[in-house]
Amino acid sequence: MARTRTPRGPYVREARLDGPAAEGWPFTIPAVRALADGAVLDLDHPVTVLCGDNGSGKSTVVEALAAAAGLNVEGGSTNFRFSTREAETPLADHLRLVRHPGRRPADGFFLRAESYFNVASEIERLDAVPNSPRLLPRYGGVSPHERSHGESFLDLVTHRFGTRGLYVLDEPEAALSVTGCLALLARVTELAEAGAQFVLATHSPILLAIPGAVIHQLDEHGLSRIAYDDALPVVTMRAFLAAPGRFVERLRSDAP
Ligand SMILES: Nc1ncnc2c1ncn2[C@@H]1O[C@H](COP(=O)(O)OP(=O)(O)O)[C@@H](O)[C@H]1O
Ligand SMILES: [Mg+2]
């Protein structure tokens, strides 16, 4: 959480892959192959957003980033060490984060939509340990198990996240309504302007519009910085919303 003596972010300047590409997954992913061939993932901004179609490698990259930053790859902070499966992040062994010297975040959290349930269970388990400091008040005071998925995410970013943290979020919109996405945009903007650093993977045109966000798109060619108006989710959603009926008709007539 915010501590006045902790320098403001961004804390991580870039991510690079050390060593040559190995055989097999994840080096079969074009974006990972590009990094192995020397591309650098520029993260030197308060907010960096990764977008790209399903399977383009966003989760693979953000998981490796989280692991390289010392966060629990299944979700949670540096203090969470639970594991429910053999987490496969072979990329983390190769990924090197280049940090700003003298700037260490005071806090960190990796939010994965699909495994936040396990984070909630871990909070309850840790809070049941006698004489341990209670975690729940830092998450808004209500167990995430007693909130909707989306409400628990908003509790997390509202109460638990601070202005001196490094936060990695994988598709946080998965649980959120449009209004919820707008609330997340507002909170991320507020924290980033005050000194926090965010790296998000998202399909949400709303989250891509976080003011000042630098967008990298992952596709079959690798990864490249892209303007908001050219990002795939924005282009596709605009075309759809301009004429939903016609869009669906075309989709159906194009279907094999
Ligand atoms: N543990 C794994 N072993 C082998 N292939 C995987 C594994 N996890 C993901 N993949 C594959 O890697 C590719 C990228 O996956 P992922 O990073 O989850 O994509 P995204 O998050 O962009 O949808 C996909 O083709 C997926 O099937
Ligand atoms: Mg993913």
Side-chain angles (χ1 to χ4, degrees), residues 10 17 21 28 54 56 80 116 133 162 167 169 179 195 198 223 228 234-235 237 248:
L17 271 189
T28 47
N54 293 125
S56 60
F80 285 60
Y116 193 60
Y167 302 111
L169 281 53
T179 315
F198 286 84
L223 83 174
Y228 178 79
V234 177
V235 171
M237 190 62 87
V248 174

Side-chain angles (χ1 to χ4, degrees), residues 9 18 26 44 81 84 112 118 123 137 142 166 174-175 196 208 222 224 233 254:
D18 280 338
D44 202 8
R81 285 283 164 253
T84 53
R112 293 172 55 117
N118 300 330
I123 295 167
V142 183
L166 170 64
L208 283 160
S224 50
D254 287 351

